Amino acid sequence: MARNRLLVIGLDCASPRLLFHEYSGLLPNLERLRAGGWWGEVESCVPPITVPAWMVMFTGKEPGELGMYGFRNRIPGTYNDTRVADSTSLQVPPLWARAAGAGLRSCLIGVPPSYPPYEVNGDMISCFLTPGTDRPYTYPRGLAVELEEQELAYVPDVAFRKENKAEILASLREMTAGHFEIACYLAEEHPWDLFVMVEIGLDRVQHAFWRYQDPAHHLYESGTPFDDALRDYYRLLDQGIGELLEAAGPDTAVAVVSDHGAKGMKGAFCVNQWLAEKGYLALQGEVKPGTRLEDAPVDWPRTKAWGWGGYYARVFLNVEGREPEGVIRPERFEAEVEALAEEIRKIRGPQGEVWDTRAVTPREVYSHTEGDVPDLMVFFDDLSWRAAGTMGHPSMYLEENDTGPDDAVHDWRGVGIIYHPEVDMGKRIDRDFIPIQDLYGIFVELLGIGD
């Protein structure tokens, strides 16, 4: 394929059901791309989480190879000390490094994880992990000054797990409109061959407003000012995409992709509370409702396993010689992991319903692992239930996320649209869905730097 400029528009957490079906008649710019190219679902990685999923897409490597298993990683030799997976965690060259090797310039906006920003052959604005724009958030640093001179204010993220919905919605819409304004300015005024923009606002708006458009949601509300919040936000995205396509020019290959999908959250399951009840996690006394593990009186010399909450549960075994007060002998590790996984798979829902729970070891899903891997990765009821790490609740089943109001969870399948100005990508890509890891090779091909 001949060398082309490539524009990648990342819609964090985009839902195939909403984008391709429920709102399809309302999104003319996305439909134009679909009509002229390939479109379908993108199968995310294990785990389907923003970090590492975007880097799987842009490196072609598994999370295990990247050593990224979520937003944070455990510091080896500790129980709960963690390190945020930021840009310094990435040890594998991403797509833009390969493009630079071919002499191509890149423009990157909000690609997780890109804080702190680092040197690229082109321009970079760091991602939602950016603590604030009062510190360096661009490469080169002068780009921040240029944006300020153009009166283009960059907002990395907004708070979305809070009760004031009107404030959340207004902030999200303003942030996203501002992101596209910056993207259009850079697409028109700066040289580039590869342009990647990831919009985090879609993830936030779905977490905050899913319940208002989904009658199947257990907290469904109708007749509120937010009934059309999601629909209107998708229309805002489509409008921004149309403006960015125009700024990029007609001779540009385009990919619209998401790192994972989204669906309604059914609740949160208290994994540490369950481990304590089953005798895996020992406590020295009662704990108050909502107690975090790091604040709980854990009797580590009598504890066999503990877990972390999140979209999935990371479960660690307390192994002799690995943990400070390990109790499981290394030769017993495999048997203990297998027995615990089997017991977890039998967990049922609050009404006794059978769950589709997946409990796997890293060696089952990765060809190679780096960093501090969890011993078990648990996805409760096909991701419909979050894992809650806190304890002391009246029930193991919580209606809400234990870290704040939240309506949605991640889903395994996101969206993909691949468009080329001269090639019918619908015929070229003969697949119903694309594994997220394979997008890297497609981007390389679209850029014409495969050799």
Side-chain angles (χ1 to χ4, degrees):
M1 190 174 288
R3 178 165 291 188
N4 254 86
R5 295 215 306 176
L6 172 61
L7 166 64
V8 180
I9 303 172
L11 303 179
D12 198 288
C13 204
S15 157
R17 178 170 71 82
L18 298 184
L19 194 148
F20 290 150
H21 302 291
E22 294 197 20
Y23 304 152
S24 65
L26 306 171
L27 311 172
N29 294 300
L30 288 166
E31 284 166 30
R32 179 159 52 90
L33 292 173
R34 286 167 63 187
W38 177 90
W39 65 275
E41 297 184 354
V42 169
E43 186 170 79
S44 192
C45 58
V46 180
I49 293 180
T50 297
V51 177
W54 286 113
M55 279 305 108
V56 171
M57 183 189 298
F58 290 121
T59 64
K61 303 295 184 184
E62 301 171 343
E65 293 173 285
L66 298 174
M68 292 181 175
Y69 306 98
F71 287 99
R72 54 184 175 147
N73 289 315
R74 187 176 69 141
I75 296 175
T78 71
Y79 286 110
N80 287 304
D81 292 343
T82 62
R83 182 180 184 280
V84 173
D86 62 15
S87 67
T88 64
S89 304
L90 183 64
Q91 302 299 317
V92 176
L95 179 66
W96 34 97
R98 182 164 178 175
L104 305 185
R105 288 179 62 86
S106 298
C107 184
L108 311 164
I109 304 175
V111 186
S114 55
Y115 183 83
Y118 53 90
E119 182 177 353
V120 295
N121 184 30
D123 301 297
M124 169 182 282
I125 299 176
S126 57
C127 68
F128 71 95
L129 294 170
T130 307
T133 53
D134 57 343
R135 61 201 73 193
Y137 69 96
T138 64
Y139 177 86
R141 287 194 177 192
L143 177 58
V145 177
E146 181 182 339
L147 295 178
E148 185 177 339
E149 290 173 347
Q150 295 296 321
E151 298 184 347
L152 296 169
Y154 180 62
V155 178
D157 200 0
V158 300
F160 64 100
R161 286 195 174 110
K162 58 183 188 180
E163 298 294 347
N164 191 332
K165 298 289 186 178
E167 186 175 290
I168 296 171
L169 187 57
S171 299
L172 281 167
R173 291 184 62 89
E174 183 178 3
M175 177 187 76
T176 297
H179 288 172
F180 276 103
E181 194 175 357
I182 290 171
C184 289
Y185 169 75
L186 293 178
E188 288 179 329
E189 301 297 331
H190 282 223
W192 56 271
D193 303 286
L194 169 64
F195 195 109
V196 184
M197 171 193 183
V198 172
E199 177 50 53
I200 194 66
L202 180 55
D203 177 275
R204 287 18 183 161
V205 79
Q206 289 177 159
H207 282 296
F209 296 96
W210 191 277
R211 75 177 64 179
Y212 302 102
Q213 57 81 42
D214 183 1
H217 197 281
H218 69 289
L219 299 175
Y220 174 62
E221 290 184 51
S222 63
T224 78
F226 311 114
D227 286 3
D228 298 323
L230 275 191
R231 183 201 68 183
D232 291 346
Y233 183 85
Y234 270 84
R235 295 175 74 174
L236 176 72
L237 286 176
D238 186 78
Q239 180 183 337
I241 289 169
E243 292 166 357
L244 184 53
L245 293 176
E246 188 172 341
D251 299 326
T252 304
V254 181
V256 180
V257 290
S258 65
D259 50 342
H260 51 73
K263 60 184 177 182
M265 185 181 78
K266 293 183 178 178
F269 181 74
C270 301
V271 60
N272 280 318
Q273 200 162 315
W274 180 86
L275 287 168
E277 183 175 293
K278 293 294 181 180
Y280 287 96
L281 174 61
L283 297 173
Q284 297 170 323
E286 299 292 322
V287 294
K288 297 178 181 177
T291 300
R292 301 184 308 165
L293 183 75
E294 48 267 48
D295 298 326
V298 179
D299 187 349
W300 289 111
R302 293 196 304 116
T303 289
K304 294 176 70 176
W306 78 103
W308 285 4
Y311 295 106
Y312 78 111
R314 280 184 257 190
V315 178
F316 302 91
L317 267 59
N318 198 16
V319 181
E320 277 185 8
R322 193 184 71 177
E323 274 71 42
E325 299 177 87
V327 296
I328 294 176
R329 298 194 308 276
E331 60 270 25
R332 288 284 308 157
F333 178 82
E334 294 294 337
E336 294 283 356
V337 166
E338 186 176 337
L340 178 55
E342 190 58 33
E343 201 162 358
I344 288 173
R345 295 186 193 107
K346 295 176 182 174
I347 294 174
R348 294 194 171 215
Q351 309 304 320
E353 68 271 25
V354 176
W355 274 2
D356 180 15
T357 293
R358 185 178 179 190
V360 296
T361 62
R363 65 181 177 280
E364 292 178 81
V365 293
Y366 304 133
S367 59
H368 178 75
T369 56
E370 295 286 344
D372 193 77
V373 296
D375 295 320
L376 268 179
M377 308 169 77
V378 183
F379 307 90
F380 289 112
D381 196 21
D382 194 30
L383 289 168
S384 292
W385 286 75
R386 282 181 62 97
T390 55
M391 297 177 285
H393 300 284
S395 168
M396 291 183 193
Y397 306 91
L398 308 181
E399 274 198 338
E400 289 270 19
N401 186 346
D402 65 341
T403 60
D406 197 344
D407 293 355
V409 288
H410 293 180
D411 207 354
W412 295 105
R413 293 282 184 93
V415 305
I417 302 171
I418 312 292
Y419 169 85
H420 191 285
E422 299 172 355
V423 179
D424 186 341
M425 297 303 291
K427 293 181 178 177
R428 192 177 183 91
I429 302 176
D430 185 23
R431 290 192 266 183
D432 294 332
F433 72 93
I434 297 176
I436 192 169
Q437 200 170 330
D438 290 1
L439 285 172
Y440 175 81
I442 292 174
F443 295 159
V444 167
E445 185 181 7
L446 288 170
L447 283 168
I449 56 173
D451 296 331

